């Protein structure tokens, strides 16, 4: 069969930006780090309800985040408890160190059923936890140092006085390093890097330009830092040129909807829609019976880290390709969910998966000893995928539609948790279509 002359049409934007090799398979360097444990009690911290009196808006924003609900997130709790059971409790301290930092430090966990957790520890990654962090002593694995007490540390160099707490400027809070202690997860025994959001950022153009996590995740809407003037405490006499939003949202649309925070869920959806751009390379024309390979380029335009990042094994991101002829008949498809909500085997999927000691794929973080597959898109780079589509027997038109899709919970995990997969939204991150003439 004659190969078609390949004419690329770029339907979205007109240029390919050659900003790198678009690999996505960078070797993960092994680092070993054991959480450093400070002795504290939960009574040294103040409840977010106290902060709410004066920082009402910030409280409302924080309340709907994954940080605030880390003690109630069913996906985390189920995973943490089953890992605990499988390891006879050996994983307990590790798994709760970032999710329930006060509970961990105050030795309220184990037991992993949470029956000893104080109300303070149940607030998860709370106001007072973040605003009493005074140092980060390593890269990842809860390497934060706390100085709980009357002084709250933050980004204001000239804070107004208030009767409740002292304020102190902290450069750390204005830097991405602040987030690194929890957003870099390293297996404490094998040294395997399980999640590397911080180092992905650090090695990217965002890292070299110091466009921080806060610049994207603490600003209204997706994108980099936008003007956000306001007061930081209710009734404060000083309107500041810039304030930081606390709806630190990633992509967990499902969790936020379910917890009753539609505005946060909408923001998570917007984040996903701002993350990637698709390009489609199609031959302009084919002869009858001539099959072809289409080129789909996925560029990470909006995320300051790999796409996807973090523990991507708990989520799904994949390409759906549907080709129809002029009468709408499907001539090829891949990545179309089955009725049961499964992703077909021949689908292009993105993410990192791990293998255990026997070389088998595992979704148990504790058993993971090596990376099995890592197919992701570095920030401001792209990957190319090639999909084979069959020819048409007669002259006509081939319509090609490509969508990049995302789902917050995998089918398997939803089943384990008793969640109907139909309830988990599938977000269209990006979409592109094109046509090939057959004559
Ligand atoms: C009585 C009211 C009040 C309460 C209660 C309160 N704050 Fe504040 N807070 C303020 C005011 C006023 C400012 C200064 C705002 C400004 O300068 O624009 C402030 C500033 C801050 C800052 C900025 C410090 C800096 O230098 O950057 C942080 C962080 C902070 N508060 C955290 C908290 C936390 C955490 C709680 C709950 C434990 C809390 N606040 C409770 C009134 C309060
Ligand atoms: C995940 C950590 C984290 C949590 C949780 C958190 N903050 Fe913050 N907060 C920050 C960081 C980081 C900044 C500064 C961002 C920067 O400078 O880039 C900040 C800024 C602030 C400021 C400074 C002024 C402003 O509004 O811009 C105040 C006040 C504040 N936070 C209060 C709170 C309160 C009250 C809560 C809980 C309702 C809270 N924070 C929860 C990390 C956190
Ligand atoms: C004390 C540990 C800790 C610190 C510090 C921290 N985080 Fe987190 N963060 C977590 C944990 C744990 C979760 C996941 C909670 C869950 O899903 O149950 C999380 C979740 C998130 C999410 C939502 C992820 C999703 O699934 O959508 C974003 C976005 C995020 N963090 C950003 C930040 C940024 C930006 C900073 C720094 C300003 C920061 N975090 C600091 C522990 C932390
Ligand atoms: C240029 C903007 C930008 C910067 C910088 C950035 N992010 Fe993100 N982040 C995004 C967007 C957009 C998404 C949604 C798409 C996705 O899931 O990656 C996201 C998603 C996330 C998620 C959710 C991932 C998941 O699947 O659970 C976390 C956690 C997160 N970011 C943390 C961070 C941390 C920590 C930093 C700094 C080290 C950071 N981000 C820097 C834009 C940014
Ligand atoms: C160094 C901090 C840290 C440690 C240690 C840690 N986590 Fe997490 N975990 C996070 C952060 C941050 C996120 C959210 C962003 C991401 O996916 O990286 C998260 C997300 C998760 C999620 C996905 C939640 C959801 O709703 O999708 C599960 C499940 C989870 N962790 C379980 C565990 C288990 C089990 C362990 C112990 C084996 C563990 N974590 C240890 C920081 C940590």
């Amino acid at each position: 069969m004659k190969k078609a002359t390949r004419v690329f049409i770029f339907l979205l934007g007109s240029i390919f930006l050659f900003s790198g090799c678009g690999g996505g398979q960078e070797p993960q360097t092994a680092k070993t780090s054991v959480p450093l444990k400070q002795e504290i009690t939960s009574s040294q911290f103040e409840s977010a309800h106290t902060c709410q009196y004066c920082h009402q808006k910030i409280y409302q924003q924080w309340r709907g985040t994954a940080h605030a609900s880390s003690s109630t997130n069913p996906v985390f709790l189920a995973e943490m408890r089953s890992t605990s059971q499988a390891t006879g409790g050996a994983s307990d301290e590790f798994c709760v160190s970032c999710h329930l930092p006060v509970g961990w430090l105050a030795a309220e966990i184990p037991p992993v059923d949470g029956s000893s957790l104080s109300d303070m520890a149940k607030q998860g990654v709370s106001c007072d936890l973040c605003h009493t962090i005074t140092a980060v002593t390593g890269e990842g694995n809860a390497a934060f140092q706390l100085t709980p007490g009357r002084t709250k540390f933050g980004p204001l160099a000239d804070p107004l006085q208030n009767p409740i707490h002292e304020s102190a400027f902290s450069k750390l809070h204005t830097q991405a390093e602040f987030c690194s202690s929890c957003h870099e997860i390293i297996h404490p025994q094998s040294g395997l890097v399980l999640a590397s959001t911080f180092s992905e950022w650090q090695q990217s153009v965002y890292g070299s330009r110091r466009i921080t996590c806060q610049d994207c995740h603490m600003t209204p809407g997706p994108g980099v830092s936008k003007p956000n003037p306001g007061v930081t405490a209710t009734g404060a006499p000083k309107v500041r040129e810039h304030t930081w939003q606390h709806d630190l949202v990633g992509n967990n649309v499902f969790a936020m909807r379910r917890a009753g925070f539609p505005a946060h869920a909408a923001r998570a959806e917007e984040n996903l829609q701002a993350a990637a751009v698709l390009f489609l390379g199609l031959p302009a024309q084919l002869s009858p019976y001539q099959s072809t390979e289409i080129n789909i380029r996925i560029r990470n335009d909006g995320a300051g880290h790999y796409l996807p990042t973090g523990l991507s094994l708990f989520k799904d991101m994949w390409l759906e390709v549907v080709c129809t002829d002029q009468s709408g008949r499907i001539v090829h498809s891949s990545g179309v969910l089955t009725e049961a909500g499964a992703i077909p085997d021949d689908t292009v999927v993105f993410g990192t998966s791990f293998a255990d000691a026997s070389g088998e794929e595992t979704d148990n973080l504790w058993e993971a000893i090596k990376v099995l597959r890592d197919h992701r898109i570095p920030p401001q780079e792209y990957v190319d995928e090639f999909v084979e589509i069959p020819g048409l027997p007669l002259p006509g038109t081939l319509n090609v539609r490509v969508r990049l899709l995302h789902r917050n919970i995998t089918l398997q995990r939803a089943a384990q948790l008793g969640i109907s997969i139909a309830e988990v939204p599938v977000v269209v991150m990006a979409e592109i279509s094109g046509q090939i003439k057959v004559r």
Side-chain angles (χ1 to χ4, degrees), residues 88-110:
S91 58
D92 293 357
E93 289 214 26
F94 175 63
C95 292
V96 298
S97 56
C98 304
H99 289 263
L100 293 164
V102 172
W104 166 57
L105 292 169
E108 295 172 356
I109 265 199

Side-chain angles (χ1 to χ4, degrees), residues 36 45 85 91 105 108 143 155 160 208 218 220 241 250 254 292 387 405 413 423:
L36 194 137
F45 293 88
Q85 214 166 24
S91 58
L105 292 169
E108 295 172 356
L160 300 168
S208 55
M218 296 185 79
E241 258 171 52
F254 177 65
T292 190
V387 174
L405 302 176
R413 202 157 303 273
E423 284 171 35

Side-chain angles (χ1 to χ4, degrees), residues 73 75-76 79-80 83 94-95 97-99 141-142 181-185 252 310-311 314-315 365:
N73 179 349
V75 184
F76 164 68
E79 196 62 29
M80 185 265 285
T83 309
F94 175 63
C95 292
S97 56
C98 304
H99 289 263
N141 282 11
S181 53
C182 300
H183 286 273
E184 188 82 9
I185 315 176
N252 216 331
L311 299 169
F314 294 126
K315 298 180 181 177
L365 294 177

Side-chain angles (χ1 to χ4, degrees), residues 127-150:
C127 315
D128 216 18
L129 185 277
C130 277
H131 288 290
T132 58
I133 291 180
T134 44
V136 168
T137 56
E139 201 165 289
N141 282 11
F144 46 76
Q145 280 266 289
L146 300 169
T147 310
R150 243 183 89 79

Side-chain angles (χ1 to χ4, degrees), residues 4-7 9 281-286 292-294 435-437:
T5 329
R6 195 166 297 274
V7 184
I9 11 172
L282 301 174
Q285 191 175 321
L286 292 172
T292 190
E293 204 174 50
I294 63 169
Q435 287 190 333
I436 309 171
K437 287 275 167 246

Side-chain angles (χ1 to χ4, degrees), residues 28 187 190 192-194 352-362 365 367-373:
Q28 311 250 327
H187 197 297
S190 67
L192 177 70
V193 177
L194 299 168
T352 310
S353 57
F354 301 112
D356 62 17
S358 66
E360 292 292 311
E361 178 165 0
T362 180
L365 294 177
E367 282 173 2
I369 62 150
K370 66 170 194 184
V371 172
L372 188 64
R373 183 172 176 276

